[in-house]
Amino acid sequence: MKVEGVFYVNDPLEKIMFDELRQHAHHQGFGGFLPGMKQIANVAALPGIVGKSVGLPDVHAGYGFAIGNMAAFDMSDPSAVVSPGGVGFDINCGVRLLRTNLSEKDVLPVKEQLAQSLFDHIPVGVGSKGVIPMSAQDLEEALEMGMDWSLREGYAWVEDKEHCEEYGRMLQADPRKVSMRAKKRGLPQLGTLGAGNHYAEIQVVDEIYDKHAASKMGLDYKGQVCVMIHSGSRGLGHQVATDALVSMEKAMKRDQIEVNDRQLACARISSTEGQDYLKGMASAANYAWVNRSSMTFLTRQAFAKMFNSTPDDLDMHVIYDVSHNIAKVEEHFIDGKQRTLLVHRKGSTRAFPPHHPLIPVDYQLTGQPVLIGGTMGTCSYVLTGTEVGMSETFGSTCHGAGRALSRAKSRRSIGFEQVLASLQEKGISIRVASPKLVMEEAPESYKNVTDVVNTCHAAGISRKCVKLRPIAVIKG
């Protein structure tokens, strides 16, 4: 290891982590993944890493890097690498939160119809096709322009961009670095939700911990209705990652890069393979922002129809949109010196402090809003970024609950009837494309999101602002 590995955990989370390690020792390899703890050590041994290899409280085994691992590489070090495993297969998987001026009592009488309307408007599920018309030429432009494409085509508001990480467009995107195969997979899926842990959720404000920061976001009272959209770059991002892993295996032989785990395929940042991946990754990130914008458009339509109003009159603004699977070039201080770093955040959310130049004007005094999606039927949180996080984790915090059980294990141990019954008991409407997938996403399969968020808050790497409780879930 070239740097230390560090974990942010509380007692229950620590137990889960050590259990993962013990199970692994018992019967080598689960699903071909090393346990999160070993993965963080292996990442700490990668060329050019600086600071620490950080494990956030929602950390669990992933491909190469653990999910919930943050690692930064010094751009001025010629040996420094970029690793697709440090971004993940769902490039720019992320969360966006919309507010409304409706309260829970406005929505409850029509909750079932509204859930159905959202389910009808937003295409969901693994093979779902988008409703927003897309030609091959449109796709090229969307990959390059991100939310500027959505804006031009009338699917986004100008204000949406202001309230999005990177303004919804990574400028280094180059669609020529995205393979034909990736484009073929991406073309029919634009504006679709996808499966797995992705969802659109109608939520209500349940607790406000920081009144001032919340009111800057337009969240003013308990019971206020919001919509959270969690999705990524679908088949396109997955293919970009797969293509890069193949080309990087060759580059590693050529440049004699040694790693502890085959899944940590990487390439020097300055190499052709490294640069090609970053340009392709940025294109996939733009695709994901267009995707979330398209679903925002469809959500606004569904609400406006249901309440016989307009999205404007319902105040359906984007509070913020964050990515939690991405690599970004950022300026940070190390030992008092400013350095340009490539920060890999995988299952980790950017959480910049107050006064940071890259966050919107209206959040300058409160810090960047950080959206932490819960898992089906549990709470979600809005946090804000802090100075402590800036110095300890390169402005990064957790991203959600993090799995405690593998998908296969969840399917074996949890019946979907149970899951649906418990949601009904909590008064949560659900619309789901495939009931079988519900078991993998059962709250029991995940760590407790409140434990995760409280750990980040206690460590000071981000601050609790608002807690949101779901009243309707739409899933793939």
mmCIF file of all heavy atoms in Angstrom, residues 393-414:
data_model
loop_
_atom_site.group_PDB
_atom_site.id
_atom_site.type_symbol
_atom_site.label_atom_id
_atom_site.label_comp_id
_atom_site.label_asym_id
_atom_site.label_seq_id
_atom_site.Cartn_x
_atom_site.Cartn_y
_atom_site.Cartn_z
ATOM 1 N N THR A 393 -11.746 13.749 2.941
ATOM 2 C CA THR A 393 -12.183 12.784 1.922
ATOM 3 C C THR A 393 -12.253 13.417 0.530
ATOM 4 O O THR A 393 -13.011 12.979 -0.315
ATOM 5 C CB THR A 393 -13.580 12.210 2.267
ATOM 6 O OG1 THR A 393 -14.503 13.313 2.334
ATOM 7 C CG2 THR A 393 -13.590 11.486 3.596
ATOM 8 N N PHE A 394 -11.466 14.473 0.328
ATOM 9 C CA PHE A 394 -11.492 15.179 -0.957
ATOM 10 C C PHE A 394 -12.920 15.555 -1.353
ATOM 11 O O PHE A 394 -13.338 15.364 -2.490
ATOM 12 C CB PHE A 394 -10.835 14.338 -2.059
ATOM 13 C CG PHE A 394 -9.373 14.063 -1.814
ATOM 14 C CD1 PHE A 394 -8.930 12.783 -1.531
ATOM 15 C CD2 PHE A 394 -8.443 15.089 -1.834
ATOM 16 C CE1 PHE A 394 -7.582 12.523 -1.286
ATOM 17 C CE2 PHE A 394 -7.094 14.842 -1.588
ATOM 18 C CZ PHE A 394 -6.664 13.557 -1.313
ATOM 19 N N GLY A 395 -13.671 16.067 -0.371
ATOM 20 C CA GLY A 395 -15.035 16.527 -0.651
ATOM 21 C C GLY A 395 -15.961 15.416 -1.088
ATOM 22 O O GLY A 395 -16.695 15.562 -2.058
ATOM 23 N N SER A 396 -15.929 14.277 -0.375
ATOM 24 C CA SER A 396 -16.772 13.139 -0.746
ATOM 25 C C SER A 396 -17.484 12.596 0.485
ATOM 26 O O SER A 396 -16.967 12.672 1.589
ATOM 27 C CB SER A 396 -15.924 11.996 -1.320
ATOM 28 O OG SER A 396 -14.976 12.501 -2.234
ATOM 29 N N THR A 397 -18.676 12.026 0.261
ATOM 30 C CA THR A 397 -19.385 11.368 1.356
ATOM 31 C C THR A 397 -20.088 10.121 0.821
ATOM 32 O O THR A 397 -19.844 9.720 -0.323
ATOM 33 C CB THR A 397 -20.354 12.363 2.050
ATOM 34 O OG1 THR A 397 -20.845 11.766 3.242
ATOM 35 C CG2 THR A 397 -21.522 12.756 1.153
ATOM 36 N N CYS A 398 -20.953 9.516 1.635
ATOM 37 C CA CYS A 398 -21.607 8.269 1.244
ATOM 38 C C CYS A 398 -22.596 8.494 0.096
ATOM 39 O O CYS A 398 -22.818 9.626 -0.317
ATOM 40 C CB CYS A 398 -22.339 7.678 2.454
ATOM 41 S SG CYS A 398 -23.684 8.745 3.026
ATOM 42 N N HIS A 399 -23.208 7.426 -0.421
ATOM 43 C CA HIS A 399 -24.149 7.611 -1.533
ATOM 44 C C HIS A 399 -25.502 6.968 -1.283
ATOM 45 O O HIS A 399 -26.447 7.217 -2.014
ATOM 46 C CB HIS A 399 -23.552 7.089 -2.843
ATOM 47 C CG HIS A 399 -23.768 5.629 -3.105
ATOM 48 N ND1 HIS A 399 -23.307 4.639 -2.259
ATOM 49 C CD2 HIS A 399 -24.392 4.979 -4.116
ATOM 50 C CE1 HIS A 399 -23.633 3.457 -2.745
ATOM 51 N NE2 HIS A 399 -24.305 3.629 -3.874
ATOM 52 N N GLY A 400 -25.618 6.105 -0.276
ATOM 53 C CA GLY A 400 -26.902 5.435 -0.047
ATOM 54 C C GLY A 400 -26.748 4.443 1.077
ATOM 55 O O GLY A 400 -25.916 4.629 1.961
ATOM 56 N N ALA A 401 -27.522 3.380 1.012
ATOM 57 C CA ALA A 401 -27.484 2.422 2.110
ATOM 58 C C ALA A 401 -26.345 1.427 1.937
ATOM 59 O O ALA A 401 -25.680 1.054 2.896
ATOM 60 C CB ALA A 401 -28.817 1.694 2.194
ATOM 61 N N GLY A 402 -26.092 0.998 0.711
ATOM 62 C CA GLY A 402 -25.045 -0.004 0.493
ATOM 63 C C GLY A 402 -25.577 -1.399 0.806
ATOM 64 O O GLY A 402 -26.220 -1.607 1.827
ATOM 65 N N ARG A 403 -25.308 -2.350 -0.056
ATOM 66 C CA ARG A 403 -25.846 -3.698 0.147
ATOM 67 C C ARG A 403 -25.217 -4.367 1.365
ATOM 68 O O ARG A 403 -24.041 -4.211 1.639
ATOM 69 C CB ARG A 403 -25.589 -4.586 -1.077
ATOM 70 C CG ARG A 403 -26.277 -4.130 -2.345
ATOM 71 C CD ARG A 403 -26.289 -5.238 -3.397
ATOM 72 N NE ARG A 403 -27.333 -6.200 -3.105
ATOM 73 C CZ ARG A 403 -28.605 -6.047 -3.474
ATOM 74 N NH1 ARG A 403 -28.980 -4.989 -4.122
ATOM 75 N NH2 ARG A 403 -29.494 -6.971 -3.172
ATOM 76 N N ALA A 404 -26.035 -5.150 2.089
ATOM 77 C CA ALA A 404 -25.510 -5.991 3.162
ATOM 78 C C ALA A 404 -25.588 -7.457 2.740
ATOM 79 O O ALA A 404 -24.843 -8.291 3.214
ATOM 80 C CB ALA A 404 -26.287 -5.755 4.445
ATOM 81 N N LEU A 405 -26.526 -7.761 1.837
ATOM 82 C CA LEU A 405 -26.660 -9.125 1.298
ATOM 83 C C LEU A 405 -26.476 -9.067 -0.215
ATOM 84 O O LEU A 405 -26.956 -8.138 -0.848
ATOM 85 C CB LEU A 405 -28.078 -9.669 1.541
ATOM 86 C CG LEU A 405 -28.548 -9.978 2.956
ATOM 87 C CD1 LEU A 405 -29.993 -10.444 2.911
ATOM 88 C CD2 LEU A 405 -27.684 -11.067 3.573
ATOM 89 N N SER A 406 -25.849 -10.074 -0.795
ATOM 90 C CA SER A 406 -25.716 -10.093 -2.250
ATOM 91 C C SER A 406 -27.105 -10.278 -2.878
ATOM 92 O O SER A 406 -28.033 -10.737 -2.219
ATOM 93 C CB SER A 406 -24.826 -11.257 -2.672
ATOM 94 O OG SER A 406 -25.537 -12.459 -2.485
ATOM 95 N N ARG A 407 -27.218 -9.947 -4.164
ATOM 96 C CA ARG A 407 -28.514 -10.072 -4.850
ATOM 97 C C ARG A 407 -29.035 -11.504 -4.796
ATOM 98 O O ARG A 407 -30.202 -11.764 -4.521
ATOM 99 C CB ARG A 407 -28.390 -9.620 -6.303
ATOM 100 C CG ARG A 407 -28.143 -8.119 -6.410
ATOM 101 C CD ARG A 407 -28.126 -7.619 -7.841
ATOM 102 N NE ARG A 407 -27.649 -6.239 -7.873
ATOM 103 C CZ ARG A 407 -28.414 -5.186 -7.636
ATOM 104 N NH1 ARG A 407 -29.688 -5.332 -7.355
ATOM 105 N NH2 ARG A 407 -27.921 -3.970 -7.669
ATOM 106 N N ALA A 408 -28.135 -12.472 -5.054
ATOM 107 C CA ALA A 408 -28.563 -13.877 -5.088
ATOM 108 C C ALA A 408 -29.068 -14.303 -3.715
ATOM 109 O O ALA A 408 -30.097 -14.974 -3.585
ATOM 110 C CB ALA A 408 -27.404 -14.755 -5.523
ATOM 111 N N LYS A 409 -28.352 -13.884 -2.688
ATOM 112 C CA LYS A 409 -28.728 -14.253 -1.333
ATOM 113 C C LYS A 409 -30.080 -13.641 -0.959
ATOM 114 O O LYS A 409 -30.902 -14.267 -0.296
ATOM 115 C CB LYS A 409 -27.663 -13.718 -0.371
ATOM 116 C CG LYS A 409 -27.448 -14.623 0.811
ATOM 117 C CD LYS A 409 -26.187 -14.205 1.489
ATOM 118 C CE LYS A 409 -25.910 -15.003 2.716
ATOM 119 N NZ LYS A 409 -24.609 -14.576 3.220
ATOM 120 N N SER A 410 -30.311 -12.389 -1.403
ATOM 121 C CA SER A 410 -31.589 -11.737 -1.115
ATOM 122 C C SER A 410 -32.733 -12.533 -1.732
ATOM 123 O O SER A 410 -33.762 -12.739 -1.109
ATOM 124 C CB SER A 410 -31.626 -10.331 -1.715
ATOM 125 O OG SER A 410 -30.524 -9.583 -1.287
ATOM 126 N N ARG A 411 -32.522 -12.976 -2.970
ATOM 127 C CA ARG A 411 -33.592 -13.722 -3.646
ATOM 128 C C ARG A 411 -33.907 -15.006 -2.896
ATOM 129 O O ARG A 411 -35.050 -15.428 -2.832
ATOM 130 C CB ARG A 411 -33.184 -14.042 -5.089
ATOM 131 C CG ARG A 411 -33.396 -12.886 -6.036
ATOM 132 C CD ARG A 411 -33.379 -13.353 -7.476
ATOM 133 N NE ARG A 411 -32.095 -13.982 -7.805
ATOM 134 C CZ ARG A 411 -31.032 -13.334 -8.266
ATOM 135 N NH1 ARG A 411 -31.088 -12.030 -8.423
ATOM 136 N NH2 ARG A 411 -29.920 -13.981 -8.548
ATOM 137 N N ARG A 412 -32.850 -15.635 -2.342
ATOM 138 C CA ARG A 412 -33.083 -16.892 -1.631
ATOM 139 C C ARG A 412 -33.808 -16.676 -0.311
ATOM 140 O O ARG A 412 -34.590 -17.494 0.124
ATOM 141 C CB ARG A 412 -31.749 -17.604 -1.353
ATOM 142 C CG ARG A 412 -31.158 -18.244 -2.606
ATOM 143 C CD ARG A 412 -30.076 -19.255 -2.234
ATOM 144 N NE ARG A 412 -28.962 -18.641 -1.514
ATOM 145 C CZ ARG A 412 -27.924 -18.066 -2.120
ATOM 146 N NH1 ARG A 412 -27.872 -18.002 -3.431
ATOM 147 N NH2 ARG A 412 -26.929 -17.558 -1.413
ATOM 148 N N SER A 413 -33.525 -15.552 0.352
ATOM 149 C CA SER A 413 -33.994 -15.448 1.736
ATOM 150 C C SER A 413 -35.255 -14.595 1.904
ATOM 151 O O SER A 413 -35.850 -14.593 2.963
ATOM 152 C CB SER A 413 -32.880 -14.892 2.610
ATOM 153 O OG SER A 413 -32.410 -13.688 2.067
ATOM 154 N N ILE A 414 -35.665 -13.860 0.869
ATOM 155 C CA ILE A 414 -36.789 -12.934 1.061
ATOM 156 C C ILE A 414 -37.843 -13.147 -0.027
ATOM 157 O O ILE A 414 -37.532 -13.097 -1.209
ATOM 158 C CB ILE A 414 -36.284 -11.468 0.999
ATOM 159 C CG1 ILE A 414 -35.202 -11.245 2.070
ATOM 160 C CG2 ILE A 414 -37.421 -10.493 1.224
ATOM 161 C CD1 ILE A 414 -34.352 -10.013 1.843
#
